[in-house]
Structure formats: C-alpha cells, structure tokens
Amino acid sequence: MTFDQWMLAFHVLAAFALVSGSTLFWVLVVAVRRIDTPDDTLRLGPVARVGNAAIGIGMGGTILLGVYLAFALDGYAIWDGWIIAALVLWLIGAALGRQVGEAYAAGPKKALELKAAGQTGPSAELLALNRTSRGVLFHALTTLVLLLIIIDMIWKPGA
Amino acid sequence: MSVLAAVRPDDWNFPLFVHVIGAMILVAGLVTGASALAFARGDAKMLRLGFWALMLVSFPGWVIMRLGAEWIYSREGWNHVKSSLQPDWLGIGFIIADAGGLILVITLILGGIGVRRLQAGKGAGLLKAVLVLSLLLLAAYVVAVWAMAGKPG
C-alpha cells in the first residue's frame, strides 16, 4: 500500500468515527427522553464522552486528511466544486454540532446542581431539559449535513 | 495514484452508498453498544441500552451493508471474475463481513439471554461476554474498512 492509500484509509476511518459519534448521540437522545433523575442523567456521561471523542477524531481526521488528499492525488484539486461543497458542509456541520452540544449540556449541568442540593428524586425540570427539542432539531440538521457530505464524497458531482 | 483518483461510473454510486451507509451504521451500533456495556458498571438500564443498541442499530446496519456489498459486487462485475484473480481487499471484506455477521448473531442471542437473566436478577455475566464480542467485532470491522478504503493488493 502506498502512503496515499494509507491516508485514504484513515480518511474513511475518520468518517466512520464521525458517523459513529453522531449515531451514538441519537441513541442517547432517545434514551435520555425517559430520564428524570440526576443519577440516571449523569450515568450517561461516560458514554457521551466516547461519542465526543469519536466526533473529535472524525472531524479532525476527515478535514486534515481530506485536504491532504485533495492536494496529493492526481485528478483532484482543492478548488473542485465537490471538494469545496464538502468543506462548506463540514463547517456547517461543526457549527450545528456545537449547538447540539450546548443544548444537551444543560441536562447534566442541572443534574449536578440537583445532586449537590441533595435532590436525587425525579425532577420535571430535568426531564424537560433532557427532552430538549432544540437539541433534537440541531442534531437532526447535523445528521442531514453528514449525509450530504457522504453523498458528495461518493457521487463527486462535477468530478 | 490514478486508481485512487478514479471516478466511478454513475450507476455504481447508489449501490456503493447503500454498502457504505450500512457499514457505518453497523460500526456505529458496535461503538454505541460497547460503550454502554463498558460503562454500565452493573446498572441494568445501561446494560439494556447497550444490548438494544447492538440489536436495533448494528444488526440492521449489517443487513444493509451486506445487501449493498452484494449489489456493488455484481454491479462492478466481480461475479464474472475467478475468485483466484480477485484482489485481496475484496477477500478480506467478504471474510470479515460474513464471519462478523455470524459472530454478531451469536452476540445478539447471548445478549438477549443476558438481558432476560438480568431481569430475573441472575447477574450480568453474559452481557460482559457480549461486550468482549462487540469489541472484537469492532476491531475486525475497522480492519475491513481499512481494507475496503485502502485496497491493499
């Protein structure tokens, strides 16, 4: 395998990490909708951290290796329409993802406050934060952007 | 380099898309399921979450990936090429996909029994085995993705 084949393989693996992180958060989005206690909310924290790590590796790996490949491979150029589209979608996805993170950070924050105050029972306020419709909307939009990037990468319109 | 930069015929794209999306869902389910099982620390809700992530995400992903694989395999004309002349990456992909599918089914059966035992208060030993199998599957599918993308041989 050549160096560029390795880079392509890592680029694709980074894309898998990104989709894995996004899917993991969909599972958590569904799971957290029934959770109204601080302990159960905080118990999802380590799993969410795996999702964050996967998304971090995925975002970094796809952009760095993708830009490298655009320069390294014959037949591709960084100013190709489909590559520019992918870069723009990546930036939009990053901005939307940040919104998702902010929306879902409110639940664990409230859970910590409740726990510190000695309230370990069910909380309607915590349940409402865990069921954030803003978070669901932004996560759906982020997923749509991810799907568009995958479509762009496979069809390579204009290439 | 020219192989890496090749643009596929248009009618290969959709079967490839189905194959890739299925593989991504499969891997995502394994990451999610294994994470929930690994961090459950005996918590029944988390153990169930891990099992159901494997059942409802990974397994459908495997089915979509495998259907897509067969579709793109025939669309690219590999079914008309002797297996001895087929490239290594194709063989690696098929072996891992099929053996992995069998192990996934075994994992899900063990997980289903494990969840039932958990409900009956009989411990989570089987679900620990499910975690180990999930991690093994994840490692194997990472190798498969590497082979499919890098195309060694």
Side-chain angles (χ1 to χ4, degrees), chain A residues 1-2 4-6 8-10 12-13 15-17 19-21 23-25 27-28 31 35 37 40 43-47 50-51 54 69 72-76 147 150-151 153-156 159, chain B residues 1-8 10 12-14 16-18 20-21 23-25 27-29 31-32 35-36 39-41 43 45-46 49 53 57 141-143 145-147 149-153:
Chain A
M1 260 172 77
T2 65
D4 287 337
Q5 281 174 301
W6 276 99
L8 180 63
F10 284 128
V12 174
L13 281 167
F16 270 72
V19 173
S20 293
T23 308
L24 182 148
F25 280 115
V27 171
L28 293 189
I35 293 179
T37 62
D40 284 348
R43 200 164 283 135
L44 294 176
V47 181
V50 173
L69 289 166
L73 299 184
D74 295 339
Y76 295 161
L147 192 62
I150 296 166
I151 289 170
M153 288 286 129
I154 290 178
W155 267 266
K156 297 180 177 57
Chain B
M1 210 62 65
S2 59
V3 173
L4 280 179
V7 176
R8 288 172 294 275
D10 280 346
W12 292 9
N13 287 333
F14 189 66
L16 180 64
F17 174 72
V18 172
V20 170
I21 284 289
M24 284 178 157
I25 294 169
V27 170
V31 170
T32 309
S35 302
F39 292 109
R41 290 177 188 161
D43 180 70
K45 285 179 193 169
M46 287 283 279
L49 180 69
V57 183
Y141 283 120
V142 166
V143 172
V145 173
W146 162 80
K151 298 187 170 31

Side-chain angles (χ1 to χ4, degrees), chain B residues 36-108:
Chain B
L37 291 169
F39 292 109
R41 290 177 188 161
D43 180 70
K45 285 179 193 169
M46 287 283 279
L47 290 167
R48 277 199 298 270
L49 180 69
F51 167 71
W52 284 110
L54 293 173
M55 180 66 115
L56 298 179
V57 183
S58 278
F59 187 65
W62 184 87
V63 172
I64 295 166
M65 178 276 294
R66 196 61 188 80
L67 289 172
E70 211 55 46
W71 193 4
I72 188 70
Y73 179 78
S74 62
R75 189 57 64 89
E76 290 187 5
W78 291 113
N79 49 343
H80 301 301
V81 177
K82 270 202 244 173
S83 55
S84 60
L85 296 175
Q86 290 182 1
D88 295 344
W89 59 268
L90 205 52
I92 294 170
F94 265 112
I95 288 168
I96 295 178
D98 290 352
L102 181 64
I103 295 170
L104 180 61
V105 169
I106 293 168
T107 304
L108 292 174

Side-chain angles (χ1 to χ4, degrees), chain A residues 75-95:
Chain A
Y76 295 161
I78 195 77
W79 53 83
D80 286 349
W82 66 276
I83 294 179
I84 291 171
L87 293 171
V88 171
L89 286 168
W90 185 93
L91 288 170
I92 294 170

Side-chain angles (χ1 to χ4, degrees), chain A residues 89-108:
Chain A
L89 286 168
W90 185 93
L91 288 170
I92 294 170
L96 290 169
R98 205 168 297 124
Q99 296 295 319
V100 179
E102 282 174 19
Y104 280 102

